[in-house]
């Protein structure tokens, strides 16, 4: 008999339910309430898993309570939101998405896992896989941006990075299943009401990729989808995840989500809530005490069976066994050396630079050329804490490199004058003085740098914004600086967890760098870019709306029956705005200037079982070595259901010296062109399909050709 069978055979109901319970320790606060002392629950076996605990000593001490003082000695799973780094912070996930570099996505996850494991963490609640096209939603910062292909690529890369081979890293937990990024009006925790088609075309791909990559766990979203809370969504958890995708891992509820089924209005009491969740396939109850208190009653009412409880316990014990916790419950990746930490800071600096997106660079004002006197202005210029972004795990409040520190380190001979200007979110009254002081700094400066944007807590969970603009009085500060600058160029560094609505800032800035929340090496990475040590290469993974009224705006829209036509009144348009976003998916400048030509296809027909190669010549006609991302899009003009105007099917990067040429080749498989048919089953439909390669989701900048899909 296996160890797991023996344990299940020996367990009391209370001990079984303990293995299905995850309780929060107080080392991080990630929910509306925290638990009290955990010792008795661990020793009695009624708490079998913890979250929000880290640190080698405290984890070992706590683990000892379970392993040496409980009746069966089953080790604890220790979970933490290691979302974009642990003690060393990498750029926030939306920023990392802009790197379009799967190897680097994996590398930063692996580095984070090493640091977290050294602190006794055995599971991270990441990757967050929620595709989102609504910048009002605060959690857009945690995800892959607007596109499902990117979401799938990141999910696979992050699972590999966190878990390593055979789970010798830490368990990953893909979240939040599913369509959380489609909350109504971008408002946190609101309902999601989307079509089954949108669910299949946009929101499931990243989870399917996570499962294919062997993700150990999945977390349902807080939200309801078409009237069914995800925590109780049997059709999608049992039917799709476990049935269709064959997911055999553990499903962990979100924080108190099982109890919240009562607020959703689908459970009369905790027993019914617990039964709904268990019947839907949720194995672990995070922080609701629903399984511990509700399942005994649910058993009595015959709402669930002991077999179902045993099956859930088995999955949890299996995960602990695969993590090696039974054989080495005090496992730790070993103390991190100073050399390890230094390596991770180098990685954070590299990822920081590659995640930032240069959205404007008028007259090549960047890179700077030997500035003599710099006026550095704004509330994000020397704000170490804000560089962390949301979900900063175990990273200290201080320690992130600021722009001011980065400039001083890189330009020791330059005279650097700094002024806050205004607070990040200050009121009109108390800010006038600061604006005047900041404006005065511009006198005599040959470079003026504005550092503006959001605070870290304006992004992430429970941080939706109805007006995703520059907060507080920052626009007034910017206007004063633009006016004072006269004809001198102003370089703007924009910090945010979302695309902000900043048309005026874009118009008046000579250069604008979207830095997002860059993490531990923020200031150094930014200065590497603006001084030309590194050429910017980030591409925005999400469209930047011109106005809140445009939301959602994204490249994968349908054509409709009356697509915009300026010559025709009765077509799809606004009276007061262009349809196009301020910046499209893929936009991002560098210090090179790339031209695309000579698209070649290895074949003009493609069967479902076939593969063709699409290649394009790329020339760097600029004056600096630079890196370009080449995207492969397709468009199925005529199909049995409408198809998006562009669908992303691949991307690759190329680095070229000034004046050099190269060729980028991307493979396209027939199965890549399957889409959900009228019955939502994957359909490969013979007919013509347009193929495009180029730098962004803008047909005017793509080179294209047509292929014909043919039956096998
Ligand atoms: C939070 C978040 C989830 C996180 C969990 C544990 O409420 O929704 O993303 O992993 O609780 O901290």
């Amino acid at each position: 008999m296996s160890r797991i069978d023996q344990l299940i055979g020996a367990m009391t109901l209370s001990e079984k339910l303990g293995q299905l319970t995850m309780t929060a320790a107080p080392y991080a606060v990630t929910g509306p309430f925290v638990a009290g002392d955990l010792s008795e629950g661990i020793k009695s076996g009624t708490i079998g898993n913890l979250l929000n605990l880290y640190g080698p000593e405290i984890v070992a001490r706590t683990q000892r309570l379970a392993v040496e003082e409980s009746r069966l000695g089953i080790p604890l799973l220790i979970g933490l939101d290691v979302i974009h780094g642990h003690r060393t912070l990498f750029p926030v996930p939306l920023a990392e998405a802009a790197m379009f570099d799967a190897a680097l996505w994996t590398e930063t996850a692996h580095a984070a896992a090493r640091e977290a494991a050294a602190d006794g963490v055995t599971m991270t609640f990441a990757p967050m896989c929620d595709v989102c096209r609504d910048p009002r939603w605060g959690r857009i910062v945690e995800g892959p941006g607007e596109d499902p292909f990117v979401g799938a690529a990141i999910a696979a890369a992050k699972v590999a990075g966190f878990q390593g081979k055979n789970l010798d890293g830490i368990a990953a937990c893909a979240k939040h299943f599913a369509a959380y990024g489609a909350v109504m009006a971008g408002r946190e925790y609101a309902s999601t009401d989307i079509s089954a088609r949108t669910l299949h075309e946009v929101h499931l791909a990243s989870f399917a990729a996570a499962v294919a990559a062997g993700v150990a766990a999945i977390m349902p979203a807080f939200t309801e989808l078409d009237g069914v809370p995800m925590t109780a969504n049997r059709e999608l958890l049992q039917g799709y995840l476990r049935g269709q995708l064959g997911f055999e891992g553990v499903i962990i509820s979100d924080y108190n989500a099982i109890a919240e089924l009562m607020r959703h209005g689908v459970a009369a009491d905790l027993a019914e809530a617990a039964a709904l969740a268990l019947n839907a396939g949720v194995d672990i109850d995070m922080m609701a005490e629903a399984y511990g208190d509700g399942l005994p009653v649910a058993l009595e009412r015959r709402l669930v069976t002991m077999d179902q409880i045993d099956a859930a316990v088995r999955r949890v014990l299996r995960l602990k066994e695969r993590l090696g916790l039974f054989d080495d419950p005090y496992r730790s990746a070993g103390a991190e050396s100073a050399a390890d930490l230094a390596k991770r800071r180098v990685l954070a600096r590299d990822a920081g630079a590659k995640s930032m997106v240069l959205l404007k660079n008028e007259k090549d004002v960047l890179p700077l050329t030997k500035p003599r006197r710099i006026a550095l202005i704004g509330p994000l210029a020397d704000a170490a804490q804000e560089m962390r972004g949301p979900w900063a795990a175990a990273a200290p409040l201080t320690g992130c490199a600021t722009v001011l520190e980065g400039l001083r380190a890189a330009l020791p001979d330059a005279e650097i004058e700094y002024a806050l200007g205004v607070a990040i979110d200050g009121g009109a009254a108390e800010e006038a003085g600061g604006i005047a002081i900041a404006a005065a700094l511009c006198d005599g400066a040959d470079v003026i740098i504005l550092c503006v944007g959001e605070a870290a807590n304006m992004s992430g969970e429970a941080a939706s914004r109805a007006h995703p603009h520059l907060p507080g009085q920052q626009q007034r500060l910017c206007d004063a600086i633009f006016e004072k600058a006269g004809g001198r160029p102003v370089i703007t560094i924009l910090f945010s967890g979302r695309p902000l609505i900043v048309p005026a800032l874009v118009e008046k800035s000579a250069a604008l760098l979207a830095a997002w929340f860059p993490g531990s090496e923020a200031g150094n990475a930014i200065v590497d870019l603006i001084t030309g040590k590194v050429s910017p290469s980030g591409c925005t993974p999400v469209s930047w709306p011109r106005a809140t009224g445009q939301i959602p705006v994204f490249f994968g829209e349908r054509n409709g029956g009356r697509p915009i036509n300026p010559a025709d009144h009765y077509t799809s348009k606004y009276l007061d705005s262009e349809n196009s976003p301020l910046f499209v998916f893929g936009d991002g400048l560098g210090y090179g200037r790339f031209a695309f030509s000579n698209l070649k296809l290895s074949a003009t027909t493609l069967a479902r079982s076939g593969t063709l190669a699409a290649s394009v010549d790329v020339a760097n006609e600029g004056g600096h070595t630079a890196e370009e991302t080449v995207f492969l899009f397709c468009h199925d003009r005529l199909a049995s259901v409408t198809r998006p105007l562009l669908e992303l099917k691949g991307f690759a990067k190329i680095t070229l010296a000034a004046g050099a040429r190269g060729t980028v080749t991307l493979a396209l498989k027939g199965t890549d062109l399957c889409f959900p048919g009228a019955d939502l089953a994957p359909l490969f439909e013979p007919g013509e399909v347009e193929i495009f390669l180029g730098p962004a989701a803008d047909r005017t900048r793509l080179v294209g050709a047509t292929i014909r899909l043919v039956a096998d």
Side-chain angles (χ1 to χ4, degrees):
M1 183 187 275
S2 75
R3 165 169 48 200
I4 289 176
D5 289 334
Q6 283 174 359
L7 281 171
I8 291 177
M11 281 169 150
T12 64
L13 174 60
S14 165
E15 287 164 334
K16 289 179 181 177
L17 301 181
Q19 289 304 306
L20 306 187
T21 296
M22 181 176 270
T23 305
Y27 283 67
V29 177
T30 59
F33 53 85
V34 294
D37 179 68
L38 308 173
S39 313
E40 289 315 309
I42 294 168
K43 287 190 284 188
S44 69
T46 56
I47 296 176
N49 308 285
L50 296 179
L51 71 146
N52 297 345
L53 182 77
Y54 57 86
E57 296 73 26
I58 183 62
V59 168
R61 219 171 32 247
T62 309
Q63 191 67 280
R64 196 158 289 115
L65 294 177
V67 173
E68 297 175 22
E69 297 192 39
S70 78
R71 190 173 77 89
L72 294 172
I74 299 172
L76 300 162
L77 205 52
I78 309 280
L80 184 70
D81 294 282
V82 182
I83 307 295
H84 56 105
H86 181 61
R87 294 187 185 276
T88 304
L89 288 177
F90 300 106
V92 288
L94 186 63
E96 277 214 354
M99 303 190 301
F100 286 95
D101 185 333
L104 201 42
W105 290 332
T106 297
E107 193 177 355
T108 56
H110 176 70
R114 294 267 312 151
E115 273 193 359
D119 264 352
V121 173
T122 46
M123 168 178 274
T124 177
F125 304 117
M128 194 271 216
C129 298
D130 303 312
V131 169
C132 178
R133 294 150 172 193
D134 191 332
R136 293 170 295 187
W137 191 47
R139 304 196 80 165
I140 191 173
V141 69
E142 297 174 48
E146 74 182 51
D147 183 73
F149 182 90
V150 178
I154 291 178
K158 288 297 178 183
V159 168
F162 285 127
Q163 297 190 165
K165 288 196 175 17
N166 311 317
L167 213 45
D168 54 17
I170 60 177
C173 175
K175 68 184 185 182
H176 309 79
F177 185 76
Y180 188 8
V183 281
M184 194 76 70
R187 195 179 69 250
E188 184 62 286
Y189 312 129
S191 60
T192 56
D193 193 356
I194 57 174
S195 69
R197 175 163 298 287
T198 299
L199 174 69
H200 280 79
E201 286 188 357
V202 178
H203 297 285
L204 295 180
S206 44
F207 292 94
V211 171
V215 71
I218 287 182
M219 182 187 289
F222 285 121
T223 43
E224 64 156 81
L225 175 61
D226 302 342
V228 182
M230 284 312 304
T231 305
N233 199 315
R234 188 183 186 129
E235 182 195 338
L236 286 173
L237 295 176
Q238 294 283 27
Y240 176 74
L241 270 186
R242 293 204 191 282
Q244 204 172 316
L245 296 185
F247 175 62
E248 296 178 339
V250 170
I251 296 177
I252 301 180
S253 82
D254 206 335
Y255 205 109
N256 193 41
I258 296 177
E260 288 166 13
L261 292 175
M262 292 185 279
R263 284 198 200 126
H264 276 287
V266 294
D269 58 25
L270 206 57
E272 278 189 20
L276 280 173
L278 189 72
N279 284 319
V282 177
D283 298 313
I284 291 183
D285 161 15
M286 182 190 284
M287 275 307 278
E289 292 302 307
Y291 279 9
D293 296 347
L295 281 183
V297 177
L299 272 171
E300 284 164 18
R301 293 183 197 167
R302 299 185 184 286
L303 300 176
V304 297
T305 66
M306 186 60 81
D307 285 352
Q308 286 175 287
I309 291 172
D310 289 351
V313 172
R314 181 177 302 281
R315 283 189 286 267
V316 174
L317 296 181
R318 176 88 186 96
L319 175 55
K320 293 183 178 183
E321 187 170 66
R322 289 182 61 213
L323 280 165
L325 287 174
F326 284 106
D327 303 324
D328 176 11
Y330 305 109
R331 73 173 217 162
S332 156
E336 293 292 280
S337 68
D340 287 328
L341 189 57
K343 259 191 328 190
R344 266 196 283 285
R345 292 291 295 216
V346 169
L347 179 60
R349 185 165 180 162
D350 180 42
K354 289 178 177 170
S355 67
M356 296 177 195
V357 182
L358 184 59
L359 292 170
K360 185 178 181 184
N361 189 22
E362 210 163 52
K363 302 189 183 102
D364 293 340
V365 64
L366 290 178
L368 298 175
T369 47
K370 293 254 176 280
R372 193 179 32 78
R373 185 166 181 278
I374 296 173
L376 179 64
I377 296 161
L380 277 299
D382 192 30
Q385 186 170 325
E386 307 308 342
M387 300 297 104
R388 302 158 82 241
W391 296 106
L397 288 180
T398 57
C400 288
T402 69
V403 179
L404 178 58
E405 290 161 351
L407 284 171
R408 283 177 175 158
L411 303 169
D413 303 331
E415 189 187 336
I416 301 165
E417 298 282 313
Y418 158 63
L420 176 82
V422 297
I424 291 175
D425 198 15
E430 63 273 10
E431 300 292 15
I435 291 177
I437 293 167
L441 225 55
C442 298
D443 297 333
D446 56 343
V447 173
I448 300 167
I449 300 175
L450 268 173
C451 290
V452 291
E454 293 182 314
N457 65 14
M458 294 177 175
S459 188
E461 185 173 358
S464 290
R465 293 182 66 205
H467 306 280
H469 304 249
L470 278 182
Q473 304 306 312
Q474 294 185 59
Q475 189 59 51
R476 280 183 54 220
L477 169 68
C478 294
D479 293 343
I481 298 305
F482 290 132
E483 190 181 335
K484 185 76 178 192
R488 284 171 296 167
V490 174
I491 294 151
T492 299
I493 316 288
L494 183 64
F495 297 86
S496 67
R498 52 169 53 92
L500 291 176
I501 312 290
V502 286
L505 188 67
V506 171
E507 188 194 335
K508 294 182 182 169
S509 300
L512 189 134
L513 179 69
W516 315 102
F517 291 114
S520 299
E521 285 294 309
N524 293 324
I526 288 165
V527 174
D528 285 348
L529 293 180
I530 63 177
T531 60
K533 186 178 171 192
V534 176
S535 166
S537 59
C539 304
T540 179
V542 61
S543 306
W544 289 60
R546 297 172 188 277
T548 305
Q550 269 189 302
I551 295 171
V553 58
F554 53 96
F555 77 84
E557 297 189 3
R558 258 68 175 182
N559 201 31
R562 293 186 172 185
I564 186 166
N565 170 0
D568 180 347
H569 178 67
Y570 297 99
T571 58
S572 177
K573 66 176 183 301
Y574 298 102
L575 293 179
D576 53 2
S577 169
E578 294 181 41
N579 287 6
S580 63
L582 202 55
F583 297 105
V584 296
F585 174 95
D587 268 340
L589 302 170
Y591 297 145
R593 202 169 307 291
F594 292 95
F596 292 79
S597 62
N598 196 18
L599 171 62
K600 279 197 195 121
L601 301 172
S602 59
T604 54
T605 61
L606 179 61
R608 179 176 186 143
S609 59
T611 300
L612 69 75
S615 65
V616 67
D617 291 343
V618 187
N620 179 356
E621 299 169 347
H624 295 258
T625 295
E627 188 176 64
E628 179 72 324
T629 302
V630 180
F631 297 99
L632 189 160
F633 298 99
C634 75
H635 176 220
D636 189 342
R637 274 181 306 202
L638 181 63
S640 51
V641 292
T642 62
R643 305 301 306 133
L645 283 170
L646 285 176
E647 291 178 77
L648 181 66
K649 297 296 179 186
F651 56 82
K653 298 178 91 86
I654 185 169
T655 299
L656 292 171
R661 306 176 67 87
T663 300
V664 170
T665 300
L666 285 158
L668 183 66
K669 298 194 297 292
T671 48
D672 294 336
L673 296 177
C674 288
F675 60 88
D679 60 358
L680 298 177
L683 174 65
F684 180 84
E685 200 166 64
E688 288 193 343
V689 171
E690 293 175 293
I691 305 293
F692 300 99
L693 274 80
D698 171 356
R699 280 172 178 252
T700 66
R701 290 184 269 161
L702 298 173
V703 287
T706 299
I707 62 169
R708 171 167 290 281
L709 303 190
V710 296
D712 266 318

